[in-house]
Amino acid sequence: MKFIVFCPDANTGGPFALLQLAKAINDLNYECEVFFYNIGTVKIKKIKKNFIKNMTIDGSYTIKYKRKPRINIPNLSYKVCKDITVNDTLIFPEVALDYSTTFYNLGFKKRVFWWLSWNNAPLGNLTKFNNIINLKNCMHIFQSKYAQKEAARLDFKGLMVSDYTIFDETTDKTKSNKSNDICFLEGKAPGTELLVKELRNYFSVISIKKMSQAQVIKTLKNSKFFIDFGSHPGKDRIPREAALHNCIPLVHNVGAAKYFEDVAIPRSLKLDTNAISDAKILIKKINSFASNFDNTLQSIAPYKNKIKNERDIFYEEVQNFLSEAK
């Protein structure tokens, strides 16, 4: 028996977390492989995505890929899954609900559903009877307190298994001149274009969209504030990276941001919809924080320390999960 993490071959936050989980399982002396479900080649009945070749008499599936996985994250090595048996434990991200239900129907009893977010899950499909039955009969783990609380309303309960922020301690000693005022992730919150245009009349503003990870880190180091206009479907990665690089996160106080367990910054840095959507109010708040920048930065020191301890906490969470899942 082995653990198999279902993961898309994409350089986004979800795969970061999925590969962290796969590595942690292996580091804790269990066997885990990664199944890149979006680059397979052959269909089987009831599955629209092409990824499984055939089922043999002993209940094993052979997987073929149309190309090698391209995802490559430093210090997160992985073993590509080439076969699955009915005795394996399959771990699905929340966006792969249909895959999870398909494997339930195929007789795979050991299944784990990892709520990496709440908002990004196909919530409309949760009302489908076959999906409900599948989810009632699998193990649940949660990346955020927000997802855990929301899922509990549907009677889906389970352990916290979050993720961690990759951080090079040596960079913490490197000071930056903070030459830029604000950075943000363009496209995360559609409809903010006019607001950002107004901000640019008063501040230097840089979008980190389409930047490499190294470019993102460099921009965070050189910026005073990171504004997250988004809906916070889970415990998002970039606000944590911002804090680690002394870039003060200002977040929209919705979703996971409302939970201190997920975003442990002072309440003053969590802006309600009225404040973050009104240019005049937002500009006034940014100026207020900027005029007292050192004290504001000091206020996120506990958040920064918490993020630095995330890896150790994550491994403890994974160990607890493994103890229940085996």
Side-chain angles (χ1 to χ4, degrees), residues 295-310:
N295 286 339
T296 306
L297 184 61
Q298 185 59 36
S299 74
I300 67 169
Y303 180 50
K304 184 175 177 179
N305 290 333
K306 181 179 179 181
I307 297 166
K308 289 182 179 180
N309 292 324
E310 282 180 334

Side-chain angles (χ1 to χ4, degrees), residues 6-8 37 91-102 113-114 120-122 134:
F6 278 57
C7 179
Y37 60 82
I91 303 173
F92 300 90
E94 87 291 1
V95 294
L97 174 59
D98 287 345
Y99 287 121
S100 175
T101 297
T102 295
F113 200 71
W114 194 12
N120 292 337
N134 163 39

